[in-house]
Amino acid sequence: QKEVEQDPGPLSVPEGAIVSLNCTYSNSAFQYFMWYRQYSRKGPELLMYTYSSGNKEDGRFTAQVDKSSKYISLFIRDSQPSDSATYLCAMTDDKIIFGKGTRLHILP
Amino acid sequence: NAGVTQTPKFQVLKTGQSMTLQCAQDMNHEYMSWYRQDPGMGLRLIHYSVGAGITDQGEVPNGYNVSRSTTEDFPLRLLSAAPSQTSVYFCASSYAQGTENIQYFGAGTRLSVL
């Protein structure tokens, strides 16, 4: 079983929809959970990070961690074409592990 | 703050040539890493450093060398380039305290080996 699983997509949704991106993981020692956004031909940029379980909100973005289910989510409200990118989840114990990313397309 | 700066942005090499990819950060981060990103493979760790003078291998270290003489700089050397090293290379830095290892990335170097 891979340490971090992330559906590669692509995921296409109409503008204004709520987007849900998810990762599952197997290592219960993970404590910090991050989401990165990567535009085409650019480096990953940190979008949000959370410690342990719970929710964190930043504008249109909400990160959710469910450690009991080993499942993390990123929700994007009122999605915009500028949100079209690849989203990578990442998590840490004594090292950082990245998911392979989900490609998201927001259709105008 | 410039963050993490990588040079060059693009490079074309012939098989067997050597080169150095430069990475510099101005955030005073102790932890620096090099990744390669290939389609369908995600980010794969090549080498990392937890501080000046300390480096270690990651998942795919073969064919690459690193050194860390200062906190700011972490160059990646390709000893004898091979077509399999055609990839996009990212440098990252973080202040890594315990399990808190939140990494900040450079813009990448696109390398083609012919």
Side-chain angles (χ1 to χ4, degrees):
Chain A
Q1 185 182 9
K2 293 179 183 175
E3 280 199 281
V4 178
E5 301 263 14
Q6 186 174 13
D7 189 324
L11 178 64
S12 297
V13 299
E15 183 176 355
I18 296 175
V19 175
S20 172
L21 303 167
N22 311 295
C23 287
T24 59
Y25 63 94
S26 58
N27 184 353
S28 58
F30 287 140
Q31 293 192 19
Y32 281 87
F33 302 88
M34 290 148 279
W35 285 96
Y36 288 83
R37 179 175 62 196
Q38 186 176 20
Y39 290 115
S40 180
R41 295 183 169 267
K42 300 289 185 184
E45 60 173 321
L46 181 67
L47 198 56
M48 298 185 72
Y49 73 92
T50 56
Y51 173 72
S52 196
S53 283
N55 291 2
K56 186 173 183 179
E57 189 173 320
D58 184 1
R60 297 185 294 112
F61 299 89
T62 299
Q64 200 170 75
V65 175
D66 182 347
K67 291 192 77 176
S68 62
S69 301
K70 297 191 180 71
Y71 189 88
I72 68 170
S73 300
L74 178 71
F75 297 97
I76 308 174
R77 291 184 300 281
D78 187 25
S79 56
Q80 304 294 311
S82 59
D83 296 326
S84 298
T86 296
Y87 290 80
L88 296 88
C89 64
M91 43 203 80
T92 69
D93 50 3
D94 62 345
K95 58 185 183 301
I96 185 168
I97 305 294
F98 288 90
K100 291 185 178 180
T102 299
R103 285 183 295 147
L104 173 66
H105 298 298
I106 306 299
L107 306 171
Chain B
N1 283 356
V4 179
T5 302
Q6 289 184 240
T7 56
K9 287 186 167 42
F10 304 95
Q11 185 70 48
V12 179
L13 291 178
K14 293 181 180 177
T15 297
Q17 287 185 317
S18 62
M19 78 159 294
T20 300
L21 280 65
Q22 302 291 345
C23 176
Q25 53 96 4
D26 61 0
M27 297 176 281
N28 203 30
H29 286 166
E30 289 296 322
Y31 195 104
M32 296 185 74
S33 308
W34 275 103
Y35 295 87
R36 59 178 290 173
Q37 189 176 43
D38 302 289
M41 303 292 287
L43 288 163
R44 290 186 290 169
L45 182 65
I46 304 171
H47 285 285
Y48 65 97
S49 168
V50 298
I54 306 169
T55 63
D56 207 346
Q57 296 181 350
E59 181 184 353
V60 289
N62 292 342
Y64 307 95
N65 247 355
V66 292
S67 60
R68 184 95 178 271
S69 57
T70 67
T71 299
E72 295 77 20
D73 300 298
F74 190 42
L76 177 73
R77 296 181 189 85
L78 278 69
L79 308 172
S80 178
S84 60
Q85 293 179 304
T86 294
S87 186
V88 182
Y89 291 86
F90 290 104
C91 178
S93 75
S94 75
Y95 60 81
Q97 191 169 6
T99 58
E100 186 177 1
N101 185 354
I102 297 166
Q103 300 201 353
Y104 297 86
F105 286 83
T109 295
R110 292 186 168 273
L111 176 68
S112 291
V113 183
L114 307 177

